[in-house]
Amino acid sequence: KEGDLGDKFYMISHGCVAAMREEKTLKELERGDYFGEVALVVDETARTATCKATMPTMLLSISKKGFQTFFAGRPEALAEVELKIAGSKCRLKPILYHKMGLELFTEHLKVQMAEETIEFWKSVRNYRKLDADGDELQEKAESICKDYIGDTAKTQVNLSADMVEKIQRDIADGNANNTTFRDAESEAVSLLADKLAGFKRSEAFAKFLKSVGGYEVGDKMKKPGAKQRRISHLDGRRPS
């Protein structure tokens, strides 16, 4: 229903659904058409139209939780989908997991002379995915620590004291493994999130969204008290 908060995506298996706004039919959706996709990736998204079956209809659906679970091990695949749907409302993670997005965000940080955290994030993410034996993991962990962690680091990253102590202890004990920097990787993303608003105001971000393609922002569809909604550039063919 128009105005309700959405949490599911639907595809028509057979039948017909009318997409309506203010009781006016915008589009007849048929087998293979879908609606509600914005709710999967944008928080607190209000439905932009009411969708009503006009004949006996069967729908396939997936919840936001199910969608995120499906892509849990495929962040790069999810990034493209989320960026197309969420556009300027996207979170930081899909930018980081998108090749062009990561490159442009890194360049943005370099201009601000604040690239140490993104370089650390790249290093520890690659480390987590390494297929190597214990000795190689230990050696690589020591190298990362020397570059980014502690007062003597070449380029110190602003991690919490507890995080630094935990990492240094694991490495000193010779216990480095693929999970050694896992929590620090998440902490780095939190630090980088502070830079997201500035990046979104940049020409580089506008260029990025244009390259990705997707959806137009609909300010007139903003619900009082809720976060901004989005409507499809096809306006009615796939309402959310």
Side-chain angles (χ1 to χ4, degrees):
K1 183 178 178 181
E2 182 179 0
D4 287 351
L5 292 181
D7 64 352
K8 287 186 178 180
F9 161 81
Y10 299 91
M11 178 174 285
I12 302 173
S13 178
H14 66 77
C16 185
V17 172
M20 308 171 67
R21 186 176 297 149
E22 297 178 352
E23 300 185 358
K24 178 181 178 181
T25 298
L26 303 172
K27 185 74 176 180
E28 291 285 339
L29 307 175
E30 301 175 345
R31 180 178 179 180
D33 286 332
Y34 56 88
F35 54 95
E37 69 274 23
V38 176
L40 297 177
V41 298
V42 181
D43 293 334
E44 298 180 20
T45 305
R47 300 295 192 187
T48 61
T50 294
C51 290
K52 183 178 180 179
T54 57
M55 61 183 293
T57 299
M58 179 177 287
L59 302 174
L60 304 176
S61 72
I62 184 170
S63 66
K64 177 180 290 189
K65 182 178 180 180
F67 179 77
Q68 293 173 343
T69 299
F70 178 79
F71 280 103
R74 311 170 181 85
E76 291 82 4
L78 175 59
E80 185 80 17
V81 175
E82 183 168 342
L83 287 164
K84 283 181 178 293
I85 296 174
S88 62
K89 291 294 181 180
C90 69
R91 302 172 302 148
L92 175 61
K93 282 192 175 181
I95 296 174
L96 297 179
Y97 287 122
H98 190 284
K99 182 179 179 181
M100 180 181 179
L102 179 58
E103 291 175 353
L104 291 174
F105 187 51
T106 300
E107 287 303 313
H108 172 76
L109 295 177
K110 285 182 177 178
V111 170
Q112 298 185 3
M113 301 185 71
E115 73 271 25
E116 66 279 353
T117 305
I118 191 72
E119 296 300 340
F120 171 73
W121 179 83
K122 292 177 188 176
S123 294
V124 296
R125 180 169 180 258
N126 289 335
Y127 179 86
R128 176 168 52 83
K129 298 164 67 177
L130 274 179
D131 182 13
D133 59 29
D135 290 341
E136 184 176 349
L137 288 173
Q138 179 70 24
E139 182 179 348
K140 182 63 176 176
E142 291 173 358
S143 177
I144 292 174
C145 196
K146 186 180 298 184
D147 287 342
Y148 299 105
I149 297 174
D151 296 336
T152 60
K154 294 179 181 178
T155 310
Q156 186 177 10
V157 175
N158 189 30
L159 298 174
S160 65
D162 288 344
M163 185 70 67
V164 170
E165 182 181 354
K166 178 181 178 297
I167 292 171
Q168 291 178 332
R169 183 173 61 250
D170 282 353
I171 294 175
D173 292 344
N175 295 327
N177 58 70
N178 293 94
T179 66
T180 294
F181 298 102
R182 182 180 57 193
D183 293 339
E185 183 179 342
S186 297
E187 192 168 309
V189 172
S190 297
L191 292 172
L192 290 168
D194 293 338
K195 304 293 184 181
L196 181 58
F199 178 57
K200 285 185 174 182
R201 292 192 295 267
S202 69
E203 292 183 6
F205 182 69
K207 172 185 175 182
F208 176 50
L209 285 189
K210 184 176 181 180
S211 174
V212 170
Y215 292 76
E216 300 289 337
V217 176
D219 286 329
K220 66 179 181 179
M221 299 306 298
K222 188 172 182 180
K223 180 180 179 181
K227 294 182 180 180
Q228 186 170 8
R229 298 181 293 175
R230 304 176 58 76
I231 56 175
S232 165
H233 66 292
L234 296 177
D235 193 25
R237 172 168 164 71
R238 304 174 213 159
S240 59

